[in-house]
């Protein structure tokens, strides 16, 4: 049963996008057709810089931080990435890090992506998002804030984020974003232990009452939580969360959108591009399927689609729930190695796509 509140929200957002960014709207309107042809409609999660003012307990990019070697993105490189993405009909960027709102060249990054050609999200911990900054972000073409909050209890949030006073500043940031007319999601990390608590339900209900949807990031055994398997969800946990999605403004990356029920969106619906040009299948699978400074985005994405885990329909979250995938490919082939690990060291000929996701009896398609 489809959640009527979420359906109405999506309709309103599409109408708003059609009015404010008609070119982006036209690209998104072609997503179903692209998907049916087996083409990627990937969000580009752009890890432009790993600099951050927090040291979060679960940080997924901890082992990427502090690296000094290798070519890094320039504004000219951002423009070229934007051009290639636009030529492929891609329509969405998420600027992330690190903490984007401490980037000295943040405005230049947004301009280089080109807000008239893309729907632009910005991840943030909220520390630097006050009313003035929120209005400025809206004025330069940022569409949505994805704000990280992990508890209604200030002490718990501040401890998790290891930043005293961060909870109050994040709560203020939510109000600032709404006042500025920015779309907003609250992103929250959910472990197996947190999922079934009264606190989690109260958290969702609090933000829903404010008209804010909650985006759940399942705990992953990477970064600062490398080897922490106790926090991972199982299939029953995921089914429970899906039941909550029918009641609340609650989302995960597995949630159906744009008339498509893709489930795992790695490569098909999302890629991550690192500060050093490597393209990852998703933010938490730290395997490079190519480098944007060496190959075209189109060729890299096709390589990703040629790997069965990313080119076939996968009903679950590989990196949050699939213990076999985690043990074989993540623990066995990426732990204790410099990141990202090249795809040839992780996947073999036996991992090639056999049934492309657009040929699997339309299982991805919403009826």
């Amino acid at each position: 049963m489809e959640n009527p509140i979420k359906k109405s929200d999506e309709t309103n957002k599409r109408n708003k996008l059609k009015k404010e960014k008609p070119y982006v709207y036209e690209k998104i309107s072609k997503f179903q057709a692209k998907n049916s042809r087996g083409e990627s409609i990937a969000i580009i999660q752009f890890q432009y810089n790993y600099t951050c003012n927090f040291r979060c307990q679960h940080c997924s990019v901890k082992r990427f931080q502090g690296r000094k070697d290798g070519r890094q993105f320039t504004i000219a490189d951002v423009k070229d990435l934007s051009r290639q993405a636009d030529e492929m009909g891609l329509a969405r960027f998420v600027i992330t890090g690190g903490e984007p709102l401490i980037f000295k060249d943040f405005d230049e990054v947004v301009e280089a992506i080109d807000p008239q050609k893309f729907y632009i999200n910005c991840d943030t911990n909220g520390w630097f998002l006050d009313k003035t900054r929120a209005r400025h972000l809206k004025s330069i073409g940022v569409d949505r804030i994805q704000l990280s909050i992990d508890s209604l209890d200030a002490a718990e949030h501040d401890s998790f984020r290891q930043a005293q006073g961060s909870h109050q500043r994040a709560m203020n940031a939510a109000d600032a974003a709404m006042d500025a007319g920015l779309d907003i999601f609250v992103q929250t990390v959910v472990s197996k232990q947190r999922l079934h608590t009264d606190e989690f339900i109260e958290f969702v209900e609090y933000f829903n009452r404010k008209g804010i949807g909650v985006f759940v990031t399942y705990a992953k055994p990477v970064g600062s939580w490398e080897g922490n398997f106790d926090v991972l969800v199982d299939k029953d946990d995921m089914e429970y969360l899906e039941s909550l999605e029918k009641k609340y403004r609650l989302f995960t990356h597995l949630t159906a959108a744009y008339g498509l029920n893709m489930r795992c969106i790695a490569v098909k619906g999302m890629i991550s591009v690192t500060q050093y040009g490597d393209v990852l299948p998703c933010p938490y699978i730290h395997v490079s399927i190519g480098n944007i400074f060496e190959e075209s985005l189109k060729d890299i994405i096709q390589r990703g689609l040629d790997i069965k885990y990313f080119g076939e329909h996968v009903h679950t979250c590989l990196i949050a729930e699939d213990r076999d995938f985690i043990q074989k490919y993540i623990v066995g082939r990426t732990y204790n190695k410099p990141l990202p690990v090249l795809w040839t060291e992780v996947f073999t000929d036996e991992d090639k796509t056999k049934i492309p996701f657009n040929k699997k009896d339309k299982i991805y398609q919403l009826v």
Side-chain angles (χ1 to χ4, degrees):
M1 178 179 175
E2 191 171 4
N3 185 322
I5 298 174
K6 290 165 70 174
K7 184 176 181 180
S8 176
D9 287 347
E10 184 165 351
T11 299
N12 291 337
K13 288 177 180 177
R14 287 215 186 184
N15 290 338
K16 180 182 178 183
L17 184 64
K18 186 176 183 180
K19 179 180 179 181
E20 295 183 355
K21 294 188 174 183
Y23 180 74
V24 180
Y25 175 85
E26 287 301 317
K27 286 198 287 186
I28 289 176
S29 70
K30 297 174 182 177
F31 276 4
Q32 288 198 32
K34 286 176 64 64
N35 185 263
S36 69
R37 294 193 298 268
E39 298 176 18
S40 174
I41 57 171
I43 301 167
I44 298 177
Q45 198 245 18
F46 187 28
Q47 301 170 2
Y48 176 69
N49 192 303
Y50 293 118
T51 301
C52 191
N53 58 323
F54 283 11
R55 293 294 180 266
C56 302
Q57 289 183 14
H58 71 303
C59 180
S60 64
V61 298
K62 180 181 179 181
R63 291 216 282 132
F64 287 84
Q65 293 175 323
R67 177 179 163 184
K68 302 295 184 183
D69 60 312
R71 178 177 171 182
Q72 302 178 33
F73 265 93
T74 64
I75 294 300
D77 293 325
V78 178
K79 290 180 179 178
D80 189 61
L81 175 62
S82 170
R83 176 190 60 78
Q84 292 188 61
D86 182 46
E87 289 175 355
M88 293 180 65
L90 306 183
R92 299 161 294 166
F93 267 80
V94 178
I95 303 173
T96 187
E99 168 51 42
L101 297 189
I102 63 174
F103 300 165
K104 294 180 180 179
D105 54 354
F106 180 87
D107 288 16
E108 288 81 2
V109 172
V110 173
E111 182 180 7
I113 292 171
D114 192 344
Q116 294 308 307
K117 293 181 179 178
F118 293 92
Y119 186 87
I120 299 178
N121 296 267
C122 176
D123 280 342
T124 182
N125 57 40
W127 189 270
F128 295 105
L129 186 60
D130 57 17
K131 290 185 177 181
T132 300
R133 189 72 184 275
R135 288 193 295 268
H136 176 71
L137 294 182
K138 178 70 174 177
S139 73
I140 64 173
V142 173
D143 296 286
R144 182 163 66 196
I145 294 298
Q146 300 183 176
L147 176 65
S148 295
I149 303 178
D150 290 298
S151 177
L152 293 180
D153 183 272
E156 287 185 10
H157 173 91
D158 289 0
S159 175
F160 189 70
R161 295 283 165 176
Q162 300 192 63
Q164 188 68 29
S166 61
H167 183 267
Q168 187 58 59
R169 294 182 78 138
M171 298 295 275
N172 292 343
D175 292 335
M178 295 186 73
D179 288 346
L182 288 162
D183 294 338
I184 179 173
F185 272 156
V186 164
Q187 297 186 137
T188 194
V189 178
V190 172
S191 63
K192 183 180 185 68
Q193 293 76 17
R194 186 186 181 206
L195 177 59
H196 298 279
T197 64
D198 291 339
E199 178 274 330
F200 177 62
I201 298 299
E202 292 167 2
F203 182 94
V204 174
E205 290 179 341
Y206 174 84
F207 286 106
N208 280 190
R209 285 195 298 270
K210 292 172 71 70
I212 298 175
V214 174
F215 186 92
V216 166
T217 297
Y218 287 121
K220 317 289 196 312
V222 297
S224 296
W225 272 357
E226 192 171 286
N228 186 358
F229 307 115
D230 292 339
V231 296
L232 303 186
V233 295
D234 59 27
K235 284 185 171 61
D236 289 340
D237 298 324
M238 296 176 75
E239 288 179 4
Y240 169 68
L241 185 58
E242 287 168 22
S243 73
L244 296 180
E245 286 192 59
K246 297 174 183 177
K247 182 178 180 181
Y248 298 108
R249 286 186 175 97
L250 186 63
F251 311 83
T252 74
H253 64 284
L254 301 174
T255 302
Y258 307 105
L260 298 168
N261 190 10
M262 300 175 69
R263 302 302 289 173
C264 175
I265 60 173
V267 183
K268 296 181 288 292
M270 170 176 274
I271 57 169
S272 291
V273 180
T274 76
Q275 180 176 342
Y276 303 95
D278 289 295
V279 178
L280 317 179
C282 87
Y284 309 101
I285 298 176
H286 296 156
V287 177
S288 175
I289 56 174
N291 190 291
I292 199 68
F293 301 145
E294 300 169 1
E295 300 177 87
S296 72
L297 181 63
K298 183 177 181 180
D299 287 347
I300 294 169
I301 287 180
Q302 185 57 56
R303 176 181 295 127
L305 293 175
D306 288 341
I307 298 169
K308 66 182 180 181
Y309 295 103
F310 316 128
E312 298 179 15
H313 178 89
V314 176
H315 194 72
T316 191
C317 178
L318 293 166
I319 191 64
E321 185 275 325
D322 190 327
R323 296 300 183 97
D324 291 337
F325 180 88
I326 291 168
Q327 286 298 322
K328 181 176 181 179
Y329 296 101
I330 305 305
V331 177
R333 300 181 186 179
T334 69
Y335 277 15
N336 303 313
K337 293 183 179 180
L339 297 180
V341 181
L342 191 63
W343 68 278
T344 52
E345 298 180 37
V346 179
F347 301 108
T348 65
D349 285 345
E350 71 176 13
D351 300 312
K352 289 184 177 180
T353 301
K354 294 181 177 63
I355 307 175
F357 67 92
N358 64 318
K359 301 296 184 184
K360 193 173 177 60
D361 299 324
K362 302 294 183 181
I363 193 171
Y364 58 89
Q365 193 85 32
L366 277 178
V367 178

